[in-house]
Amino acid sequence: MGIAGEAQAHDISMVRRLLWTEMASEELIGNVASSVESDAQAIQDFFVEMLKINAVNPRMGGPGERERADFLEGFLKDNGFPVTRVDVRDSEAPGGIRPSISAKLGGKDGSRSLWYISHMDTVPEGSRDLWKTDPFEPTIKDGKVYARGAEDNGQSLVASLFALLTLKKLGLQLPYNVGVWFVSDEEFASNYGIKALLRRRLFKESDLVVVPDSGSPRGVDIEIAEKGLLWMKVTTKGKQVHASLPKKGLNAHRVGMRLAMELDGFLNGKYRRRNKLFDYSVSSFEPTKKEANVGNVNTVPGMDVFYFDCRVLPVYSLDDVESDVRRTIRRFEKKYHASIEFEEIEKERAGPATPQDSEVAVMLRRAVNKVAGVKPRFVGIGGQTVGNLFRMEGIPTAVWSTIDDVPHEPNEYSKIANLINDTKVFAAAPLLG
Ligand SMILES: [Zn+2]
């Protein structure tokens, strides 16, 4: 056989292998999908049962996650899973603990795991008048389940749980371990949830982490990057005098306004790199809140307080932004003989963006495409999810779910079709390698 013939034979075997892989994955998806479909009613019933258990974050006046965790732990054990439970002590929570629950299936490579991470806690229901139904008595209408926490984060929690159950039932060999974590305290600061688990070193850099706690209505957005967040407060002190004799005092409001304008121009001008992943593709530095000063028009204010909300692309360091601000402040202090204080109210660094060719990103994109039949795109967001906490630890993380995006709203709901669809995606993802 000549060179051309060999190449041809090679091509044909490649094509055959590709076709076989394609068929095998079609068949796998079919098996996963029909298994999930046959459990659809059970999944919906379980979802409703779980949402009846109030799990409002105790820092927001609720009973906390304990009862919901016991319910989930019981269900996992009834289904033959060994359960890992981490109870973090919290004297302010009813019962004194904040639980996190985990279960997993072993895979061929037992040294690493694909984790689906969702949170059990919810925000409070808010004003009851705005709800058409009882937020803790889930109501099904037009294919939607209405309840507090239905979308955030109940849908994904139940979808990942039943994905795990589906994989167990089908008994397929998994390439690596596949597991779930149901955590506490996401709605407040994650101190008793993800942060406590990360401190206990329960995740590895070689793990694949999916955080289904943000998403889009058709499931096209796979979030792989977040911006760093800096909230700053700037207090300018001058000298208060009668407005008819301004030279006797020092108008803190004037200095404050000039400083705010200076920072606005300088920061937005210097940190101007773009990243097309983000809908708002540049960093943002916005003067936002302004505290009231004097109560009457004829007084020169002796004090001025303004705030900035800064959302910074992950290529930049928040420390650099902060030292730029401090330097500008020192210059203004000298120039105007005012005393100016800088305070950071909130500072959340952004971990490095998850590479688009990382295993977790590729895996999820393939599963969303093949199972949900949509063409996903990678995106970045200006807010922050707990996905960022994993990225900060060097663990590539993808954030994805199919939701209408109504978290924290009155009449929060989840579409049952999305719950079932996402269950299929989560179950199929590790099989399509
Ligand atoms: Zn959430």
Side-chain angles (χ1 to χ4, degrees):
M1 201 187 283
I3 303 278
E6 262 174 39
Q8 212 176 0
H10 179 72
D11 281 354
I12 289 167
S13 82
M14 275 276 286
V15 169
R16 262 204 212 112
R17 200 159 56 230
L18 274 173
L19 276 175
W20 185 84
T21 318
E22 199 62 20
M23 269 164 56
S25 71
E26 292 295 323
E27 202 183 313
L28 274 174
I29 293 169
N31 289 346
V32 165
S34 53
S35 176
V36 172
E37 292 292 348
S38 67
D39 286 341
Q41 189 61 47
I43 297 173
Q44 180 186 318
D45 292 346
F46 183 85
F47 186 41
V48 166
E49 281 313 301
M50 188 193 75
L51 291 171
K52 285 182 186 167
I53 306 168
N54 181 330
V56 171
N57 191 299
R59 288 293 183 289
M60 300 171 167
E65 305 87 354
R66 190 172 189 166
E67 196 188 338
R68 190 172 280 193
D70 292 345
F71 174 73
L72 292 166
E73 183 179 4
F75 183 76
L76 282 164
K77 283 184 172 160
D78 289 348
N79 282 281
F81 285 96
V83 173
T84 302
R85 177 166 173 146
V86 176
D87 283 332
V88 180
R89 240 178 290 155
D90 176 7
S91 56
E92 283 181 45
I97 54 133
R98 308 293 296 279
S100 289
I101 300 283
S102 175
K104 70 174 181 200
L105 293 168
K108 202 169 159 198
D109 177 359
S111 72
R112 61 203 204 104
S113 308
L114 160 64
W115 294 114
Y116 291 112
I117 297 174
S118 54
H119 62 89
M120 296 183 284
D121 61 318
T122 74
V123 294
E125 67 277 27
S127 170
R128 287 247 177 182
D129 298 346
L130 300 173
W131 284 81
K132 293 193 186 111
T133 58
D134 186 328
F136 300 104
E137 198 48 65
T139 307
I140 300 173
K141 203 179 164 232
D142 303 330
K144 297 170 183 165
V145 178
Y146 290 85
R148 172 51 85 227
E151 178 183 290
D152 183 15
N153 195 203
Q155 177 188 307
S156 292
L157 190 157
V158 172
S160 64
L161 169 59
F162 278 86
L164 196 66
L165 241 59
T166 301
L167 290 172
K168 185 168 195 279
K169 214 158 72 175
L170 294 176
L172 300 164
Q173 184 167 67
L174 302 168
Y176 31 68
N177 308 325
V178 177
V180 292
W181 271 102
F182 308 139
V183 306
S184 279
D185 203 28
E186 191 277 338
E187 296 293 359
F188 193 71
S190 290
N191 287 324
Y192 299 94
I194 290 295
K195 286 179 186 168
L197 301 179
L198 284 167
R199 272 198 301 276
R200 285 171 168 75
R201 307 216 161 275
L202 292 165
F203 305 98
K204 295 179 195 160
E205 277 182 36
S206 57
D207 285 348
L208 290 77
V209 172
V210 175
V211 176
D213 194 19
S214 175
S216 52
R218 287 175 52 246
V220 290
D221 293 345
I222 298 177
E223 187 254 282
I224 53 169
E226 296 175 17
K227 287 179 180 174
L229 177 88
L230 178 66
W231 284 354
M232 51 194 199
K233 175 182 181 184
V234 178
T235 306
T236 303
K237 286 176 188 154
K239 191 176 171 217
Q240 180 175 318
V241 289
H242 194 281
S244 63
L245 297 165
K247 286 257 145 62
K248 276 180 72 184
L250 176 61
N251 191 331
H253 184 40
R254 177 182 286 123
V255 179
M257 280 195 295
R258 284 185 175 160
L259 177 57
M261 294 298 289
E262 174 79 15
L263 290 174
D264 185 19
F266 175 72
L267 295 172
N268 282 301
K270 177 171 175 184
Y271 297 94
R272 59 192 306 166
R273 274 171 73 171
R274 283 180 183 277
N275 183 337
K276 292 243 171 67
L277 273 183
F278 293 82
D279 265 349
Y280 194 82
S281 62
V282 287
S283 304
S284 60
F285 303 89
E286 287 298 301
T288 51
K289 184 173 163 180
K290 177 81 186 68
E291 280 182 18
N293 48 26
V294 289
N296 49 308
V297 181
N298 56 350
T299 297
V300 166
M303 177 126 113
D304 179 87
V305 184
F306 67 80
Y307 297 77
F308 264 67
D309 172 303
C310 313
R311 287 158 200 262
V312 184
L313 288 177
V315 292
Y316 292 124
S317 136
L318 290 183
D319 293 337
D320 287 349
V321 173
E322 202 181 307
S323 52
D324 278 338
V325 172
R326 287 186 191 279
R327 209 172 305 127
T328 309
I329 285 176
R330 282 199 297 275
R331 188 155 55 77
F332 266 65
E333 280 188 312
K334 271 197 199 123
K335 186 171 174 188
Y336 292 100
H337 308 290
S339 123
I340 307 175
E341 271 168 31
F342 171 89
E343 247 176 280
E344 58 176 52
I345 305 294
E346 188 82 49
K347 187 179 190 179
E348 298 285 350
R349 291 183 173 83
T354 297
Q356 301 193 18
D357 60 357
S358 62
E359 213 177 333
V360 68
V362 170
M363 174 203 73
L364 200 56
R365 184 174 59 184
R366 189 174 296 147
V368 172
N369 179 240
K370 299 243 174 205
V371 181
V374 296
K375 202 163 176 255
R377 55 170 197 163
F378 292 119
V379 300
I381 60 168
Q384 287 198 333
T385 69
V386 292
N388 187 54
L389 297 172
F390 288 95
R391 291 190 191 114
M392 297 269 288
E393 300 287 324
I395 304 171
T397 300
V399 175
W400 175 85
S401 63
T402 314
I403 52 169
D404 280 357
D405 214 12
V406 290
H408 303 199
E409 290 181 18
N411 307 307
E412 176 182 355
Y413 65 85
S414 154
K415 281 186 180 152
I416 295 162
N418 290 342
L419 169 67
I420 302 303
N421 179 55
D422 287 12
T423 305
K424 292 178 193 168
V425 171
F426 294 150
L431 302 172
L432 300 179

